[in-house]
Amino acid sequence: QNKFTTTNTLGQLVQIDTKGKLSTKKLNLTDKHRIVTTSKTLVSLTENTLKIKSRNVDLDYGNYTAPKIFYLNDKIYVTTTDLQSKKVYLFDSQAKSIPNFPVFGISAADLQNIDKDNGLELITKSDSKTIVVYKLY
């Protein structure tokens, strides 16, 4: 959308266009929120509420990694990990949990197609020296 997008400590979305015009929009985020955006998707995490576009997901209270957005096979996926309970969450663009998730993991996750089939793989750590790969069917 030809804008630079960020947030401030007041929980507002701040956008600046290429001509320097500034706009703000209240998002009702706490000062310790995290966001990630693409040209069409805004994801925020504040306390235990994950918001994907306009849909909210209430997660258990925990210590979450910043959400990550992946666009693969013409679908949007969002991940976040609760470092406290060691659970990796995976959602679609409608904020619906992907079947069989959450899974065990202790780090932020990556989602890719790392082999020759059409299925995706989620990669995370299972301890400080070991990675684990989950196959999505």
Side-chain angles (χ1 to χ4, degrees), residues 108-126:
D110 197 11
L111 186 66
Q112 297 294 325
N113 184 353
I114 62 173
D115 55 20
K116 295 180 182 182
D117 65 15
N118 287 334
L120 299 176
E121 290 81 26
L122 184 129
I123 304 102
T124 188
K125 288 182 179 180
S126 62

Side-chain angles (χ1 to χ4, degrees), residues 49-57 92-96:
T49 301
L50 180 68
K51 185 172 187 173
I52 301 171
K53 296 184 177 181
S54 63
R55 293 184 162 88
N56 289 347
V57 177
D92 67 13
S93 62
Q94 303 301 307
K96 295 191 185 307

Side-chain angles (χ1 to χ4, degrees), residues 76-95:
I76 293 171
Y77 297 92
V78 176
T79 65
T80 188
T81 301
D82 181 353
L83 300 173
Q84 186 175 318
S85 67
K86 301 176 182 168
K87 293 179 181 177
V88 179
Y89 293 85
L90 179 63
F91 298 94
D92 67 13
S93 62
Q94 303 301 307

Side-chain angles (χ1 to χ4, degrees), residues 8 13 22 28 35 37 43 55 76 83 89 92 119 133 135-136:
N8 60 24
L13 182 71
L22 177 73
N28 296 320
I35 68 158
T37 65
V43 176
R55 293 184 162 88
I76 293 171
L83 300 173
Y89 293 85
D92 67 13
V133 178
K135 180 79 172 169
L136 279 69

